[in-house]
Amino acid sequence: MNFTKLLINKLNSSDKRIDSILSAVIIFIGFAMAGWTRYKQALHDIIAGTLIIKS
């Protein structure tokens, strides 16, 4: 087995793992924002410029 190829595969797999963890943290923060924003908006609501109105 080629050592360089093995090293690259290990680095790629660890990068993917770190990226997925980072992505999950960012997405969770986006939803958690609804708990502390003035109008209880999550990040996707703020980006889209939407507001939920309960009748």
Side-chain angles (χ1 to χ4, degrees):
M1 182 175 278
N2 188 351
F3 179 72
T4 306
K5 195 173 195 178
L6 179 64
L7 180 62
I8 290 172
N9 286 339
K10 290 287 186 184
L11 290 175
N12 286 346
S13 66
S14 65
D15 284 349
K16 287 181 181 181
R17 198 172 309 127
I18 291 169
D19 290 346
S20 64
I21 292 169
L22 182 61
S23 178
V25 168
I26 290 170
I27 290 171
F28 175 73
I29 290 172
F31 284 109
M33 285 177 60
W36 68 78
T37 58
R38 182 176 180 187
Y39 297 109
K40 304 298 182 204
Q41 292 174 295
L43 183 60
H44 60 273
D45 294 324
I46 294 169
I47 291 171
T50 58
L51 184 64
I52 304 299
I53 299 174
K54 293 182 180 180
S55 57

